[in-house]
Amino acid sequence: SLRGGLRVGLLCHRGVGGSAMVAVGLARQLAARGHDVHVVARSTPPGLETPPPGVRVHRLTATDDVTTRLDVDWTTAELHGLAELVASVVQRERLQVLHFHYAVPFAWVVQDVVRRLGEDRPAVVGTLHGTDVSVLGRRPAVRRRLEPALAALDAVTTVSDHHAALATRIFRLPEPPDVIPNFVDLDRFRTVAHPPAHGRAPRLVHVSNFRQVKRPESMARIAGRVLAAAPSELWLVGTGERMPAVESILEDPIADGRVRLLGVRLDVENLLPHTDLLLVSSRMESFCLVALEAMASGVPVVAPRVGGLPELVEHGISGLLFEPGDEEGAARLVLVYLADPALQRRLSAGALTRARSLSTAAVIPRYERLYADVLGRT
Ligand code: GMT
Protein backbone atom coordinates (compact mmCIF):
# COMPACT_ATOMS: atom_id res chain seq x y z
CA SER A 1 0.00 0.00 0.00
CA LEU A 2 1.11 3.55 -0.72
CA ARG A 3 0.36 4.39 2.87
CA GLY A 4 2.69 1.72 4.18
CA GLY A 5 -0.01 -0.22 6.01
CA LEU A 6 -1.90 -3.42 5.35
CA ARG A 7 -4.83 -3.88 2.99
CA VAL A 8 -7.60 -5.27 5.14
CA GLY A 9 -11.15 -6.37 4.29
CA LEU A 10 -13.76 -6.34 7.07
CA LEU A 11 -17.01 -8.22 6.66
CA CYS A 12 -19.91 -7.34 8.97
CA HIS A 13 -23.65 -6.95 9.50
CA ARG A 14 -25.34 -3.67 8.68
CA GLY A 15 -27.57 -3.29 11.77
CA VAL A 16 -27.24 -1.31 14.99
CA GLY A 17 -25.58 -4.09 16.97
CA GLY A 18 -22.38 -4.65 18.86
CA SER A 19 -20.60 -6.72 16.23
CA ALA A 20 -21.15 -4.17 13.46
CA MET A 21 -20.17 -1.34 15.83
CA VAL A 22 -16.93 -3.14 16.65
CA ALA A 23 -16.22 -3.71 12.94
CA VAL A 24 -16.93 -0.05 12.14
CA GLY A 25 -14.75 1.11 15.06
CA LEU A 26 -11.97 -1.22 13.94
CA ALA A 27 -12.23 0.09 10.36
CA ARG A 28 -11.89 3.69 11.52
CA GLN A 29 -9.02 2.97 13.87
CA LEU A 30 -7.08 0.84 11.38
CA ALA A 31 -7.46 3.55 8.73
CA ALA A 32 -6.28 6.22 11.17
CA ARG A 33 -3.21 4.07 11.73
CA GLY A 34 -2.37 4.00 8.01
CA HIS A 35 -4.02 0.81 6.80
CA ASP A 36 -6.27 0.59 3.73
CA VAL A 37 -9.61 -0.73 4.90
CA HIS A 38 -12.44 -2.14 2.81
CA VAL A 39 -15.71 -2.84 4.60
CA VAL A 40 -18.07 -5.24 2.85
CA ALA A 41 -21.67 -5.49 4.08
CA ARG A 42 -25.21 -6.06 2.88
CA SER A 43 -25.72 -2.29 3.08
CA THR A 44 -23.79 0.55 4.74
CA PRO A 45 -23.25 -0.17 8.44
CA PRO A 46 -24.30 2.72 10.73
CA GLY A 47 -21.37 5.06 11.27
CA LEU A 48 -19.88 4.66 7.79
CA GLU A 49 -22.38 6.78 5.83
CA THR A 50 -19.48 9.19 5.34
CA PRO A 51 -16.40 7.00 5.59
CA PRO A 52 -13.17 8.63 6.77
CA PRO A 53 -10.06 8.65 4.55
CA GLY A 54 -8.67 5.15 4.25
CA VAL A 55 -12.04 3.38 4.58
CA ARG A 56 -14.15 2.25 1.62
CA VAL A 57 -17.55 0.61 1.85
CA HIS A 58 -18.66 -2.06 -0.63
CA ARG A 59 -22.30 -3.04 -0.29
CA LEU A 60 -24.50 -5.70 -1.73
CA THR A 61 -27.73 -3.69 -1.87
CA ALA A 62 -28.43 0.00 -2.10
CA THR A 63 -31.01 0.30 0.69
CA ASP A 64 -29.44 1.88 3.77
CA ASP A 65 -32.19 1.59 6.36
CA VAL A 66 -31.14 1.60 10.02
CA THR A 67 -32.16 -1.75 11.47
CA THR A 68 -31.96 -3.16 14.98
CA ARG A 69 -32.29 -6.68 13.64
CA LEU A 70 -29.36 -8.94 13.01
CA ASP A 71 -30.27 -10.39 9.63
CA VAL A 72 -28.88 -13.87 9.86
CA ASP A 73 -31.31 -15.41 7.37
CA TRP A 74 -29.74 -15.28 3.94
CA THR A 75 -30.74 -17.22 0.87
CA THR A 76 -28.10 -19.30 -0.91
CA ALA A 77 -28.25 -16.83 -3.79
CA GLU A 78 -27.57 -13.91 -1.46
CA LEU A 79 -24.64 -15.75 0.12
CA HIS A 80 -23.16 -16.42 -3.31
CA GLY A 81 -23.74 -12.80 -4.26
CA LEU A 82 -21.87 -11.62 -1.19
CA ALA A 83 -19.01 -14.10 -1.75
CA GLU A 84 -18.71 -12.92 -5.34
CA LEU A 85 -18.56 -9.28 -4.22
CA VAL A 86 -16.00 -10.04 -1.51
CA ALA A 87 -13.83 -12.07 -3.90
CA SER A 88 -13.86 -9.26 -6.46
CA VAL A 89 -12.90 -6.67 -3.83
CA VAL A 90 -10.12 -8.95 -2.54
CA GLN A 91 -8.70 -9.33 -6.06
CA ARG A 92 -9.10 -5.75 -7.22
CA GLU A 93 -7.75 -4.21 -4.03
CA ARG A 94 -5.23 -7.01 -3.45
CA LEU A 95 -6.43 -7.45 0.13
CA GLN A 96 -3.97 -9.24 2.40
CA VAL A 97 -6.33 -9.99 5.28
CA LEU A 98 -10.06 -10.74 5.27
CA HIS A 99 -11.62 -10.46 8.75
CA PHE A 100 -15.28 -11.19 9.50
CA HIS A 101 -17.30 -10.09 12.52
CA TYR A 102 -20.05 -12.54 13.59
CA ALA A 103 -19.87 -16.08 12.25
CA VAL A 104 -23.34 -16.30 10.68
CA PRO A 105 -23.32 -16.09 7.73
CA PHE A 106 -19.82 -14.70 7.19
CA ALA A 107 -17.86 -17.85 8.08
CA TRP A 108 -19.53 -19.53 5.09
CA VAL A 109 -18.99 -16.53 2.86
CA VAL A 110 -15.28 -16.55 3.69
CA GLN A 111 -15.13 -20.29 3.05
CA ASP A 112 -16.65 -19.68 -0.38
CA VAL A 113 -14.22 -16.81 -1.08
CA VAL A 114 -11.25 -19.02 -0.17
CA ARG A 115 -12.56 -21.72 -2.50
CA ARG A 116 -12.95 -19.21 -5.32
CA LEU A 117 -9.48 -17.66 -4.94
CA GLY A 118 -7.40 -20.77 -4.23
CA GLU A 119 -3.68 -19.91 -4.00
CA ASP A 120 -4.44 -16.19 -4.23
CA ARG A 121 -6.52 -16.18 -1.10
CA PRO A 122 -5.90 -13.61 1.63
CA ALA A 123 -5.25 -14.57 5.24
CA VAL A 124 -8.63 -15.21 6.85
CA VAL A 125 -9.61 -14.20 10.38
CA GLY A 126 -12.96 -14.48 12.17
CA THR A 127 -14.24 -12.78 15.31
CA LEU A 128 -17.07 -14.51 17.16
CA HIS A 129 -19.27 -11.98 18.94
CA GLY A 130 -22.21 -13.41 20.82
CA THR A 131 -25.33 -15.23 19.72
CA ASP A 132 -23.41 -16.65 16.75
CA VAL A 133 -21.99 -18.97 19.42
CA SER A 134 -24.42 -18.87 22.37
CA VAL A 135 -27.68 -19.25 20.41
CA LEU A 136 -27.09 -20.16 16.75
CA GLY A 137 -24.02 -22.27 17.53
CA ARG A 138 -26.14 -24.55 19.68
CA ARG A 139 -28.38 -25.46 16.75
CA PRO A 140 -27.01 -28.74 15.40
CA ALA A 141 -27.50 -27.78 11.74
CA VAL A 142 -25.66 -24.47 12.18
CA ARG A 143 -22.93 -26.02 14.31
CA ARG A 144 -22.19 -28.76 11.80
CA ARG A 145 -21.62 -26.15 9.11
CA LEU A 146 -19.69 -23.73 11.29
CA GLU A 147 -17.26 -26.29 12.73
CA PRO A 148 -15.30 -26.90 9.52
CA ALA A 149 -15.58 -23.27 8.41
CA LEU A 150 -14.03 -22.04 11.68
CA ALA A 151 -11.39 -24.76 11.74
CA ALA A 152 -10.20 -23.63 8.28
CA LEU A 153 -9.52 -20.02 9.37
CA ASP A 154 -6.01 -18.74 9.99
CA ALA A 155 -7.17 -17.23 13.30
CA VAL A 156 -10.31 -17.02 15.40
CA THR A 157 -10.83 -14.33 18.02
CA THR A 158 -13.53 -13.72 20.61
CA VAL A 159 -14.29 -10.79 22.87
CA SER A 160 -14.01 -12.37 26.34
CA ASP A 161 -12.55 -15.39 28.12
CA HIS A 162 -16.07 -16.64 28.80
CA HIS A 163 -16.99 -16.50 25.14
CA ALA A 164 -13.70 -18.13 24.12
CA ALA A 165 -14.37 -21.10 26.43
CA LEU A 166 -17.94 -21.42 25.15
CA ALA A 167 -16.86 -21.28 21.50
CA THR A 168 -14.10 -23.83 22.04
CA ARG A 169 -16.57 -26.24 23.60
CA ILE A 170 -19.45 -25.73 21.17
CA PHE A 171 -17.41 -25.78 17.96
CA ARG A 172 -14.72 -28.20 19.23
CA LEU A 173 -12.11 -25.72 18.00
CA PRO A 174 -8.63 -27.18 17.41
CA GLU A 175 -7.20 -24.43 19.64
CA PRO A 176 -8.87 -21.84 21.85
CA PRO A 177 -9.51 -18.50 20.13
CA ASP A 178 -7.42 -15.43 20.86
CA VAL A 179 -9.27 -13.17 23.25
CA ILE A 180 -9.17 -9.57 22.01
CA PRO A 181 -11.62 -7.59 24.11
CA ASN A 182 -13.80 -4.87 22.66
CA PHE A 183 -12.47 -1.32 22.79
CA VAL A 184 -13.81 2.19 23.25
CA ASP A 185 -12.92 5.46 21.57
CA LEU A 186 -12.20 7.85 24.43
CA ASP A 187 -12.41 10.84 22.08
CA ARG A 188 -16.03 9.93 21.44
CA PHE A 189 -17.13 8.90 24.94
CA ARG A 190 -16.42 11.54 27.55
CA THR A 191 -17.48 12.06 31.11
CA VAL A 192 -19.13 14.84 33.10
CA ALA A 193 -19.09 15.12 36.92
CA HIS A 194 -20.68 12.20 38.81
CA PRO A 195 -22.75 12.61 40.88
CA PRO A 196 -24.16 15.71 39.15
CA ALA A 197 -23.54 18.95 41.04
CA HIS A 198 -26.96 20.49 40.39
CA GLY A 199 -29.09 18.04 42.33
CA ARG A 200 -31.34 16.67 39.57
CA ALA A 201 -33.02 13.30 40.06
CA PRO A 202 -30.60 10.45 39.37
CA ARG A 203 -31.04 8.75 36.01
CA LEU A 204 -30.91 5.04 35.34
CA VAL A 205 -30.35 4.17 31.72
CA HIS A 206 -30.89 1.01 29.68
CA VAL A 207 -29.65 0.69 26.10
CA SER A 208 -30.44 -2.40 24.04
CA ASN A 209 -32.32 -3.93 21.16
CA PHE A 210 -35.07 -5.07 23.57
CA ARG A 211 -34.75 -8.64 22.41
CA GLN A 212 -35.30 -11.64 24.65
CA VAL A 213 -31.57 -12.21 25.22
CA LYS A 214 -31.46 -8.79 26.95
CA ARG A 215 -34.28 -9.80 29.35
CA PRO A 216 -35.89 -6.37 29.04
CA GLU A 217 -38.93 -7.25 31.17
CA SER A 218 -36.62 -8.13 34.02
CA MET A 219 -34.86 -4.80 33.55
CA ALA A 220 -38.27 -3.08 33.65
CA ARG A 221 -39.26 -4.83 36.87
CA ILE A 222 -35.94 -3.90 38.54
CA ALA A 223 -36.30 -0.30 37.39
CA GLY A 224 -39.95 -0.27 38.47
CA ARG A 225 -38.95 -1.21 42.02
CA VAL A 226 -36.32 1.53 42.10
CA LEU A 227 -38.63 4.19 40.66
CA ALA A 228 -41.26 3.31 43.26
CA ALA A 229 -38.78 3.54 46.14
CA ALA A 230 -36.59 6.56 45.34
CA PRO A 231 -36.77 9.81 43.41
CA SER A 232 -35.20 8.79 40.09
CA GLU A 233 -35.73 8.59 36.34
CA LEU A 234 -35.27 5.88 33.73
CA TRP A 235 -34.03 6.52 30.21
CA LEU A 236 -34.70 3.78 27.67
CA VAL A 237 -32.62 3.85 24.50
CA GLY A 238 -33.35 1.53 21.59
CA THR A 239 -36.35 -0.55 20.72
CA GLY A 240 -37.27 -4.09 19.76
CA GLU A 241 -39.81 -6.85 19.99
CA ARG A 242 -40.12 -6.78 23.82
CA MET A 243 -40.73 -3.01 24.01
CA PRO A 244 -44.53 -3.28 24.39
CA ALA A 245 -44.08 -5.64 27.37
CA VAL A 246 -41.60 -3.19 28.92
CA GLU A 247 -44.01 -0.29 28.47
CA SER A 248 -46.81 -2.22 30.11
CA ILE A 249 -44.66 -3.09 33.17
CA LEU A 250 -43.65 0.57 33.50
CA GLU A 251 -47.09 1.99 32.77
CA ASP A 252 -47.34 4.06 35.98
CA PRO A 253 -43.91 5.73 35.92
CA ILE A 254 -44.34 6.34 32.18
CA ALA A 255 -47.66 8.10 32.93
CA ASP A 256 -45.84 10.13 35.63
CA GLY A 257 -43.23 11.26 33.11
CA ARG A 258 -40.39 9.52 34.93
CA VAL A 259 -39.48 7.21 32.05
CA ARG A 260 -38.06 8.70 28.88
CA LEU A 261 -38.47 6.60 25.73
CA LEU A 262 -35.65 7.82 23.53
CA GLY A 263 -35.91 5.26 20.70
CA VAL A 264 -33.01 4.16 18.52
CA ARG A 265 -30.09 6.55 18.86
CA LEU A 266 -26.79 6.34 17.06
CA ASP A 267 -25.32 9.13 19.19
CA VAL A 268 -25.34 7.37 22.57
CA GLU A 269 -22.19 9.34 23.42
CA ASN A 270 -24.46 12.38 23.81
CA LEU A 271 -26.81 10.59 26.21
CA LEU A 272 -24.70 8.33 28.42
CA PRO A 273 -22.62 11.06 30.13
CA HIS A 274 -25.87 12.63 31.37
CA THR A 275 -27.01 9.47 33.14
CA ASP A 276 -25.86 7.96 36.43
CA LEU A 277 -26.14 4.18 36.26
CA LEU A 278 -26.47 1.71 33.36
CA LEU A 279 -28.90 -1.10 34.10
CA VAL A 280 -28.21 -4.40 32.34
CA SER A 281 -30.28 -7.55 32.87
CA SER A 282 -29.24 -9.75 29.94
CA ARG A 283 -29.57 -13.50 29.98
CA MET A 284 -26.22 -13.62 28.19
CA GLU A 285 -23.58 -11.13 27.05
CA SER A 286 -20.29 -12.22 25.57
CA PHE A 287 -18.99 -8.74 26.36
CA CYS A 288 -21.67 -5.98 26.50
CA LEU A 289 -20.29 -3.11 24.45
CA VAL A 290 -22.70 -0.53 25.85
CA ALA A 291 -21.41 -1.29 29.35
CA LEU A 292 -17.94 -0.29 28.20
CA GLU A 293 -19.34 2.84 26.54
CA ALA A 294 -21.15 3.79 29.74
CA MET A 295 -18.00 3.22 31.79
CA ALA A 296 -16.01 5.42 29.41
CA SER A 297 -18.67 8.08 30.11
CA GLY A 298 -17.99 7.74 33.84
CA VAL A 299 -21.22 5.81 34.33
CA PRO A 300 -20.95 2.59 36.38
CA VAL A 301 -22.90 -0.51 35.47
CA VAL A 302 -25.22 -2.73 37.45
CA ALA A 303 -25.39 -6.11 35.72
CA PRO A 304 -25.91 -9.82 36.26
CA ARG A 305 -22.95 -12.15 36.74
CA VAL A 306 -23.27 -13.75 33.29
CA GLY A 307 -21.02 -14.28 30.29
CA GLY A 308 -18.20 -11.79 29.92
CA LEU A 309 -19.80 -9.17 32.16
CA PRO A 310 -17.78 -10.05 35.29
CA GLU A 311 -14.60 -9.69 33.20
CA LEU A 312 -15.56 -6.13 32.31
CA VAL A 313 -17.35 -4.91 35.44
CA GLU A 314 -15.56 -5.43 38.77
CA HIS A 315 -18.06 -5.63 41.62
CA GLY A 316 -17.65 -2.73 44.05
CA ILE A 317 -14.91 -1.13 41.92
CA SER A 318 -16.36 -0.18 38.54
CA GLY A 319 -19.93 -1.32 39.03
CA LEU A 320 -22.22 -3.71 40.87
CA LEU A 321 -23.03 -7.34 40.02
CA PHE A 322 -26.04 -9.40 40.99
CA GLU A 323 -26.95 -13.06 40.60
CA PRO A 324 -28.90 -13.69 37.38
CA GLY A 325 -32.63 -13.52 38.06
CA ASP A 326 -32.31 -11.82 41.46
CA GLU A 327 -34.42 -8.77 40.62
CA GLU A 328 -34.97 -7.83 44.25
CA GLY A 329 -31.23 -7.97 44.93
CA ALA A 330 -30.54 -5.89 41.82
CA ALA A 331 -33.03 -3.21 42.89
CA ARG A 332 -31.49 -3.19 46.38
CA LEU A 333 -28.01 -2.61 44.89
CA VAL A 334 -29.32 0.28 42.82
CA LEU A 335 -31.02 1.86 45.84
CA VAL A 336 -27.85 1.56 47.94
CA TYR A 337 -25.96 3.23 45.11
CA LEU A 338 -28.47 6.07 44.71
CA ALA A 339 -28.33 6.81 48.45
CA ASP A 340 -24.53 7.02 48.65
CA PRO A 341 -22.74 9.89 46.81
CA ALA A 342 -19.33 8.64 47.97
CA LEU A 343 -20.05 5.24 46.38
CA GLN A 344 -21.21 6.99 43.21
CA ARG A 345 -17.96 8.95 42.98
CA ARG A 346 -15.87 5.88 43.69
CA LEU A 347 -17.61 3.62 41.14
CA SER A 348 -17.65 6.37 38.53
CA ALA A 349 -13.88 6.80 38.87
CA GLY A 350 -13.42 3.02 38.85
CA ALA A 351 -15.55 2.68 35.71
CA LEU A 352 -13.45 5.29 33.95
CA THR A 353 -10.21 3.57 34.93
CA ARG A 354 -11.49 0.24 33.66
CA ALA A 355 -12.66 1.78 30.38
CA ARG A 356 -9.27 3.45 29.86
CA SER A 357 -7.62 0.03 29.99
CA LEU A 358 -9.76 -0.89 26.94
CA SER A 359 -9.05 2.23 24.89
CA THR A 360 -8.44 1.96 21.15
CA ALA A 361 -4.75 2.67 21.85
CA ALA A 362 -4.61 -0.36 24.14
CA VAL A 363 -6.58 -2.82 21.99
CA ILE A 364 -6.16 -2.04 18.26
CA PRO A 365 -2.44 -3.02 18.24
CA ARG A 366 -3.54 -6.49 19.27
CA TYR A 367 -5.47 -6.86 16.00
CA GLU A 368 -2.48 -5.49 14.10
CA ARG A 369 -0.22 -8.06 15.76
CA LEU A 370 -2.68 -10.81 14.91
CA TYR A 371 -2.73 -9.74 11.23
CA ALA A 372 1.08 -9.68 11.13
CA ASP A 373 1.10 -13.10 12.70
CA VAL A 374 -1.34 -14.71 10.23
CA LEU A 375 0.44 -13.09 7.28
CA GLY A 376 3.68 -14.59 8.49
CA ARG A 377 1.98 -17.95 8.52
CA THR A 378 0.15 -17.96 5.18
O1 GMT B 1 -24.75 -11.72 19.42
C1 GMT B 1 -25.70 -10.95 19.30
O2 GMT B 1 -26.87 -11.18 19.56
C2 GMT B 1 -25.49 -9.64 18.70
C3 GMT B 1 -24.10 -9.15 18.77
C4 GMT B 1 -24.18 -7.95 17.92
O3 GMT B 1 -23.87 -8.01 16.75
O4 GMT B 1 -24.62 -6.95 18.47
O5 GMT B 1 -23.74 -8.82 20.13
C5 GMT B 1 -22.67 -9.49 20.68
O6 GMT B 1 -21.50 -8.81 20.31
C6 GMT B 1 -21.21 -7.59 21.00
C7 GMT B 1 -19.93 -7.02 20.43
O7 GMT B 1 -18.85 -7.87 20.65
C8 GMT B 1 -21.11 -7.87 22.49
O8 GMT B 1 -20.82 -6.66 23.17
C9 GMT B 1 -22.44 -8.46 22.99
O9 GMT B 1 -22.29 -8.79 24.36
C10 GMT B 1 -22.80 -9.68 22.19
N1 GMT B 1 -24.17 -10.11 22.54
C11 GMT B 1 -24.40 -11.22 23.22
O10 GMT B 1 -23.53 -11.96 23.64
C12 GMT B 1 -25.83 -11.53 23.47
Side-chain angles (χ1 to χ4, degrees):
S1 144
L2 292 174
R3 290 143 51 92
L6 295 172
R7 297 180 302 276
V8 181
L10 297 177
L11 197 47
C12 69
H13 284 288
R14 57 166 179 175
V16 187
S19 61
M21 304 261 181
V22 170
V24 168
L26 181 59
R28 290 182 167 276
Q29 295 299 324
L30 288 173
R33 296 166 74 93
H35 304 286
D36 277 332
V37 184
H38 295 263
V39 176
V40 189
R42 188 173 229 169
S43 59
T44 309
L48 286 182
E49 296 80 4
T50 316
V55 177
R56 274 178 26 222
V57 178
H58 309 266
R59 46 188 199 163
L60 196 58
T61 61
T63 41
D64 281 342
D65 50 331
V66 171
T67 166
T68 60
R69 277 191 52 236
L70 252 181
D71 36 16
V72 294
D73 300 317
W74 293 58
T75 64
T76 309
E78 285 171 325
L79 287 179
H80 284 310
L82 187 61
E84 197 169 14
L85 173 63
V86 174
S88 75
V89 174
V90 168
Q91 282 183 311
R92 194 179 59 240
E93 306 294 341
R94 297 183 300 117
L95 299 187
Q96 297 161 287
V97 179
L98 181 60
H99 179 183
F100 70 73
H101 289 265
Y102 203 91
V104 179
F106 305 124
W108 303 315
V109 172
V110 165
Q111 213 176 13
D112 192 350
V113 170
V114 163
R115 208 163 26 224
R116 284 165 196 255
L117 298 179
E119 299 265 279
D120 295 333
R121 77 170 180 91
V124 283
V125 177
T127 296
L128 309 176
H129 275 278
T131 48
D132 47 354
V133 179
S134 61
V135 177
L136 301 175
R138 291 183 202 275
R139 296 184 188 159
V142 177
R143 197 195 61 227
R144 273 196 298 274
R145 286 179 68 197
L146 277 180
E147 257 181 36
L150 296 176
L153 294 170
D154 295 308
V156 180
T157 87
T158 59
V159 294
S160 63
D161 291 337
H162 179 277
H163 202 239
L166 188 69
T168 306
R169 199 173 68 233
I170 289 187
F171 299 124
R172 295 181 294 181
L173 295 174
E175 37 182 310
D178 284 315
V179 176
I180 302 185
N182 289 336
F183 50 85
V184 64
D185 180 353
L186 298 172
D187 291 329
R188 183 174 160 217
F189 289 90
R190 296 173 165 278
T191 181
V192 299
H194 286 278
H198 42 277
R200 57 161 173 74
R203 293 167 183 158
L204 308 181
V205 63
H206 175 80
V207 186
S208 82
N209 51 21
F210 292 80
R211 279 187 304 153
Q212 217 187 346
V213 70
K214 305 289 178 183
R215 277 203 179 137
E217 290 100 320
S218 175
M219 177 282 299
R221 285 189 296 266
I222 296 166
R225 282 175 188 266
V226 173
L227 292 167
S232 49
E233 281 179 20
L234 173 66
W235 288 12
L236 297 178
V237 184
T239 191
E241 68 208 23
R242 310 305 302 166
M243 197 64 181
V246 166
E247 288 182 32
S248 104
I249 293 167
L250 293 169
E251 197 179 341
D252 291 343
I254 289 175
D256 294 344
R258 293 171 64 200
V259 179
R260 277 184 73 183
L261 305 170
L262 290 148
V264 177
R265 293 282 296 255
L266 296 176
D267 65 331
V268 286
E269 68 273 23
N270 295 327
L271 297 172
L272 287 172
H274 305 287
T275 66
D276 303 295
L277 188 66
L278 178 82
L279 178 54
V280 176
S281 55
S282 305
R283 180 162 55 78
M284 180 49 69
E285 288 290 348
S286 63
F287 184 90
C288 197
L289 189 57
V290 74
L292 176 56
E293 293 175 341
M295 291 161 86
S297 312
V299 176
V301 177
V302 57
R305 263 191 198 87
V306 296
L309 273 162
E311 295 170 48
L312 176 62
V313 179
E314 314 126 298
H315 181 70
I317 298 172
S318 51
L320 299 164
L321 297 171
F322 57 91
E323 292 314 312
D326 183 9
E327 294 174 5
E328 201 187 317
R332 212 174 319 117
L333 282 178
V334 176
L335 289 168
V336 165
Y337 174 83
L338 294 185
D340 186 346
L343 180 64
Q344 291 165 31
R345 269 190 296 276
R346 202 175 76 228
L347 294 188
S348 173
L352 212 49
T353 303
R354 180 72 184 113
R356 286 187 178 134
S357 74
L358 296 171
S359 66
T360 52
V363 177
I364 302 299
R366 296 175 62 175
Y367 281 111
E368 292 179 306
R369 278 198 293 275
L370 179 74
Y371 296 161
D373 192 31
V374 292
L375 284 173
R377 281 196 325 226
T378 47

